[in-house]
Amino acid sequence: MFCALLGFGYFEQLLIAESQSNHLVLSRNQNEASHTTRRGSHDEKTSEPRRFVVAVDSTIKALLDGEDTDRNMQITIEDCGPKVISLGTATSDGFNRFEVRGTYMIANLLQELTLAQDHGRKYTILDEMRLNENPVDRLARLIKDSFWDSLTRRIDASVVEIAAKDPKDWTSDPRPRIYIPRGAPEQYKYYTKVAQERPDIQLDIQLLPEEITPEYTKSIYDKPGLLALEMEEYVKDPATGETELRGLPFVVPGGIFNELYCWDSYFCALGLLVNDRVGLVKSTIQNFIFEIEHYGKILNANRSYYLCRSQPPFLTDLALRTYAVIRHEPDAKEFLRLATLAAMKEYYNVWMAEPRYDPESGLSRYRSNGLGVPPECGETQYIHIAEPYAQKHGLPTNEFLQAYNNGVLKEPDLDEYFLHDHAVRESGHDVSYRVEGVVASLATVDLNSLLYKYETDIARTIRTVFGDKLLVPAAFCAPGQEPDHIESSSLWDTRAKRRKKLMDKYLWNEKQGLYFDYNTITKQQTAFESATCFWPLWSGAASPHQASLLVSHGLSKFECIGGLVSTTLESRGELAPSRPQYQWDYPFGWAPHQIMAWDGLIRYGFHEEAERLAYRWLYMVTKVFVDFNGAVVEKYDVTRKVDPHRVDAEYGNQGVDFKGVAKEGFGWTNASYVYGLSIVNTRMRRALGVLAPWDVFVNSDLAVS
């Protein structure tokens, strides 16, 4: 039956059978006239796509009352309603009626009506084709036309009171607050004027010191606020020529993550480039350049408590991808020059300097110099850690943590714990048993792969774009460098060759055919198996021999029904009340690991493997989208067939808590979807449209036709 279904050129409708264990997906060519074989019409029969006239509020109420049996404002396969509603056709002014059936169409109806209600409409006209739209086309369309816009932010007077509010703010006075760097006096003047003209928003403007130290950062933990980003001048009034500042836009991850994040932004940008939103990618990079120039690094995110913390670095790759698109524009070369200079400054000042650089191994580590309790988490998360120390000092736990954070009480062992805890968050893999309690000592495969890419990218850029000479002005010099000195490609080529040798020496395991992290304290390679072992493929650091072993030995360890799992079950180990499940461990899979593996495999010629992994991930994301009211989430359990978006670890999942319609998805998952669709072939895309699992697709005639 599956082969016959795939033979149709257009999928008019998916009808999802209401069984969690066996969802039968049916499709049909739009030109067939046998509509009534799948759903009955009271009166009107037509071979043309129908249009419905719908009363918005009353129909939403009827849907939720009759279909949303678990009362979560969503219609999913877990609801036990009849999954049918009768709608009046527009051609009959609502007199003739037609039944819409099945979870997918009913959920789509709820989504469309919720959007209409948000726009204040009492009645709306809906096309049948919108309700039974091919789910792959629907999700790709929503990402391109809706989700990116919903995730786009800028920081200026128009939204500062909203943007400056932090859902992670634990203080008793969560007022909007913004910190301005000393090197941006025009912004300090601008925001001071905003505060004076709008006293009702109670905007607090703080000027950062020239030198931002860990001690200073800790001293403002109880005054969290936004960190200013790049702004541009524009003509506010063409008649008078009056100018004004406005923030450059960027995309946020979504959910509780409402700031400019470092590595999230890279993966979001890959999707934005697929969707022809290069302007938004360019402005994101300009914001990164501003951060490096004024804060010394691309920040974990632009909140004050992240001033000492970065995240996995991707700037050079993103800048080169963007330059490839805009190279015909007059300012393209200048854009690439500034991005390259910023990346070089970040490389020298952050990743090749203490405390992150390990001079003995010559490799780098995630090793933030932040102090005390990471404030975005709140003290309650660390009560179990602090209790023994509180008892030792005879204090309630919250009082002990305050005294410890303020430096009144000293506990070296706790200092060590938080050194690693800050570094875990800098790694982006917060939290995994791979990194917990040890990552500040690890020269990780992921970080050193990224720095190898920096070195080869910078060498290639200087050589091919700037005539093998790049002048470095004072603003982008590292300590000890002479202003206006010249950098050439040969130095960066040498660095890349050296790093590859060191990665081969310390990180590569020939017997296992995998890369592993290296502990710079114990001087031993770890044995923890992580999907980051594929990152040297992405960066080009692996030899063809190493790539072949990674594919033959590694893929089988990590490949699951929904794509790559973050770690192996064996490395994660057994769970217990004192050893809980972490979100970056088995059985969860994340968009960044998928994308890095896809690109890495393609780079070394393993196209079939990349397509297979992409198909598995896309199938899982599409199935959740169809079965669960359009949900697109932060992470997935790639071992589960029915409800992989259910994540019982740490803070749960982002992207599941919405009413009626998902308006954002989740940033890097959105990106992985449109990016993955650019990797799979047309036959695979058609099979995804009818929710064919990989094993069904690969054994069908379509897979080889």
Side-chain angles (χ1 to χ4, degrees):
M1 180 179 68
F2 174 66
C3 297
L5 292 173
L6 292 179
F8 299 120
Y10 181 87
F11 305 113
E12 179 191 291
Q13 177 181 346
L14 295 177
L15 182 60
I16 313 299
E18 308 309 315
S19 167
Q20 293 187 27
S21 61
N22 182 25
H23 303 301
L24 177 62
V25 181
L26 302 177
S27 69
R28 179 170 56 89
N29 190 297
Q30 131 185 21
N31 296 319
E32 288 189 332
S34 56
H35 291 279
T36 54
T37 63
R38 289 174 18 203
R39 58 176 188 240
S41 169
H42 295 310
D43 299 293
E44 186 171 277
K45 293 181 173 63
T46 175
S47 61
E48 297 299 319
R50 295 173 180 82
R51 304 179 76 205
F52 305 110
V53 57
V54 186
V56 175
D57 293 343
S58 60
T59 307
I60 289 178
K61 185 177 186 304
L63 283 171
L64 295 178
D65 288 347
E67 301 288 356
D68 179 26
T69 57
D70 58 9
R71 299 295 181 253
N72 67 348
M73 302 290 287
Q74 300 173 20
I75 297 173
T76 74
I77 60 171
E78 294 177 343
D79 289 306
C80 301
K83 303 296 173 67
V84 59
I85 190 169
S86 177
L87 300 179
T89 61
T91 54
S92 69
D93 291 329
F95 180 76
N96 293 335
R97 306 191 68 79
F98 188 84
E99 288 183 348
V100 172
R101 294 179 178 271
T103 300
Y104 181 60
M105 291 187 70
I106 295 292
N108 285 349
L109 176 61
L110 176 63
Q111 294 167 48
E112 297 295 333
L113 293 180
T114 302
L115 292 173
Q117 188 178 65
D118 290 346
H119 286 86
R121 297 173 187 162
K122 298 300 182 184
Y123 290 87
T124 190
I125 302 293
L126 287 178
D127 288 334
E128 182 183 16
M129 300 304 298
R130 181 56 63 92
L131 301 182
N132 64 17
E133 186 177 8
N134 180 310
V136 175
D137 295 341
R138 181 177 178 85
L139 179 50
R141 175 180 60 79
L142 288 173
I143 292 169
K144 180 178 181 179
D145 298 339
S146 179
F147 289 0
W148 292 134
D149 289 338
S150 296
L151 291 169
T152 299
R153 307 283 188 272
R154 66 171 75 235
I155 301 174
D156 55 30
S158 64
V159 294
V160 67
E161 73 275 19
I162 300 172
K165 290 182 179 179
D166 186 354
K168 301 179 291 297
D169 188 344
W170 68 99
T171 65
S172 59
D173 182 25
R175 62 185 297 188
R177 181 178 291 110
I178 188 164
Y179 287 85
I180 313 296
R182 290 275 175 173
E186 73 287 350
Q187 290 203 32
Y188 187 79
K189 179 180 178 181
Y190 169 83
Y191 283 110
T192 300
K193 181 181 177 183
V194 171
Q196 292 171 347
E197 293 177 347
R198 301 174 62 190
D200 56 299
I201 67 174
Q202 296 184 299
L203 180 63
D204 182 17
I205 301 104
Q206 297 284 330
L207 189 63
L208 288 167
E210 288 283 356
E211 183 181 2
I212 300 171
T213 64
E215 291 74 20
Y216 169 78
T217 302
K218 190 175 73 166
S219 75
I220 60 172
Y221 278 176
D222 61 349
K223 294 181 180 179
L226 275 177
L227 297 172
L229 296 174
E230 184 66 281
M231 303 186 81
E232 64 179 357
E233 191 175 61
Y234 74 104
V235 178
K236 182 179 180 180
D237 187 345
T240 64
E242 179 187 0
T243 61
E244 182 68 283
L245 292 177
R246 66 183 174 195
L248 293 185
F250 56 92
V251 165
V252 301
I256 63 173
F257 307 110
N258 200 34
E259 305 85 22
L260 174 66
Y261 278 78
C262 175
W263 79 318
D264 291 76
S265 295
Y266 170 76
F267 293 103
C268 289
L270 297 183
L272 289 168
L273 289 174
V274 171
N275 289 148
D276 300 320
R277 302 290 293 273
V278 67
L280 190 49
V281 178
K282 184 178 177 182
S283 62
T284 297
I285 294 173
Q286 290 170 308
N287 280 315
F288 284 158
I289 295 170
F290 181 92
E291 287 190 334
I292 291 172
E293 188 173 358
H294 294 284
Y295 307 125
K297 61 180 73 67
I298 298 178
L299 300 165
N300 184 156
N302 66 312
R303 294 281 181 187
S304 55
Y305 41 78
Y306 293 133
L307 277 165
C308 290
R309 193 190 311 165
S310 187
Q311 268 194 330
F314 285 90
L315 180 55
T316 58
D317 185 80
L318 185 56
L320 286 170
R321 288 176 187 258
T322 305
Y323 178 72
V325 178
I326 67 168
R327 62 191 312 161
H328 62 282
E329 297 179 5
D331 67 338
K333 191 171 180 179
E334 176 63 9
F335 163 80
L336 183 60
R337 184 183 76 88
L338 292 174
T340 304
L341 289 170
M344 290 164 58
K345 180 177 180 178
E346 179 197 28
Y347 175 90
Y348 287 126
N349 285 359
V350 180
W351 304 113
M352 294 300 289
E354 293 288 351
R356 294 173 178 85
Y357 177 65
D358 174 49
E360 186 170 340
S361 68
L363 298 173
S364 297
R365 306 166 292 193
Y366 296 113
R367 200 176 176 93
S368 165
N369 55 1
L371 301 173
V373 178
E376 75 273 20
C377 302
E379 294 178 349
T380 56
Q381 181 171 328
Y382 299 98
I383 287 177
H384 67 292
I385 299 296
E387 276 180 349
Y389 299 96
Q391 292 171 4
K392 170 185 171 182
H393 291 278
L395 292 172
T397 305
N398 62 331
E399 291 184 19
F400 166 77
L401 283 171
Q402 290 176 6
Y404 170 76
N405 252 3
N406 293 332
V408 176
L409 296 176
K410 306 291 184 181
E411 287 291 348
D413 290 346
L414 208 52
D415 293 343
E416 180 75 8
Y417 173 85
F418 283 117
L419 167 69
H420 292 295
D421 194 76
H422 282 274
V424 164
R425 299 174 196 288
E426 183 169 81
S427 77
H429 291 79
D430 46 329
V431 179
S432 162
Y433 285 110
R434 175 175 77 98
V435 294
E436 188 191 43
V438 69
V439 69
S441 303
L442 297 182
T444 65
V445 175
D446 38 308
L447 177 56
N448 286 282
S449 296
L450 297 177
L451 294 178
Y452 176 83
K453 188 68 158 58
Y454 260 44
E455 291 156 351
T456 56
D457 284 348
I458 291 171
R460 177 163 58 94
T461 301
I462 293 175
R463 182 167 52 249
T464 61
V465 181
F466 299 108
D468 216 12
K469 293 180 180 180
L470 184 60
L471 185 144
V472 183
F476 293 101
C477 282
Q481 291 183 336
E482 289 291 328
D484 299 328
H485 72 278
I486 301 294
E487 297 248 352
S488 65
S489 63
S490 60
L491 180 62
W492 291 93
D493 282 328
T494 299
R495 287 175 177 145
K497 291 175 183 177
R498 179 174 182 269
R499 188 175 300 276
K500 174 170 171 46
K501 288 182 179 179
L502 294 173
M503 290 175 68
D504 289 345
K505 178 180 179 181
Y506 292 110
L507 308 182
W508 174 249
N509 188 307
E510 179 72 15
K511 183 178 180 180
Q512 297 291 327
L514 295 175
Y515 286 93
F516 294 95
D517 302 327
Y518 174 75
N519 191 310
T520 60
I521 303 301
T522 65
K523 317 299 182 189
Q524 291 182 334
Q525 193 178 85
T526 74
F528 201 104
E529 296 171 334
S530 166
T532 54
C533 70
F534 298 109
W535 288 32
L537 297 180
W538 176 87
S539 69
S543 68
H545 168 71
Q546 289 167 328
S548 179
L549 287 180
L550 276 168
V551 171
S552 61
H553 292 186
L555 281 187
S556 61
K557 290 178 177 288
F558 297 95
E559 186 173 352
C560 298
I561 58 174
L564 290 178
V565 70
S566 296
T567 71
T568 61
L569 174 61
E570 292 75 16
S571 287
R572 185 205 67 182
E574 294 296 324
L575 303 176
S578 61
R579 197 173 187 274
Q581 174 71 63
Y582 286 149
Q583 62 179 358
W584 281 93
D585 284 331
Y586 181 96
F588 303 123
W590 295 70
H593 287 168
Q594 316 304 317
I595 294 174
M596 297 292 279
W598 301 342
D599 277 359
L601 290 167
I602 291 171
R603 179 174 189 147
Y604 285 83
F606 296 99
H607 295 276
E608 291 184 2
E609 289 80 358
E611 287 184 332
R612 184 179 72 245
L613 292 177
Y615 188 100
R616 288 187 182 279
W617 177 261
L618 294 171
Y619 165 77
M620 178 186 62
V621 174
T622 307
K623 193 169 191 308
V624 169
F625 176 77
V626 167
D627 288 349
F628 292 93
N629 206 102
V632 179
V633 298
E634 179 190 26
K635 53 189 173 282
Y636 296 82
D637 181 340
V638 295
T639 69
R640 291 176 68 90
K641 292 183 178 181
V642 176
D643 54 355
H645 66 307
R646 301 275 192 237
V647 172
D648 184 18
E650 301 181 59
Y651 57 76
N653 217 342
Q654 298 294 304
V656 296
D657 186 19
F658 58 87
K659 307 299 183 185
V661 60
K663 298 178 181 178
E664 297 180 343
F666 193 84
W668 58 26
T669 308
N670 300 341
S672 72
Y673 197 78
V674 295
Y675 196 76
L677 288 177
S678 72
I679 291 175
V680 299
N681 59 45
T682 302
R683 298 186 299 275
M684 291 177 174
R685 179 166 178 148
R686 292 175 62 196
L688 288 168
V690 294
L691 296 186
W694 170 257
D695 292 341
V696 175
F697 165 73
V698 77
N699 290 313
S700 71
D701 293 339
L702 185 64
V704 295
S705 63

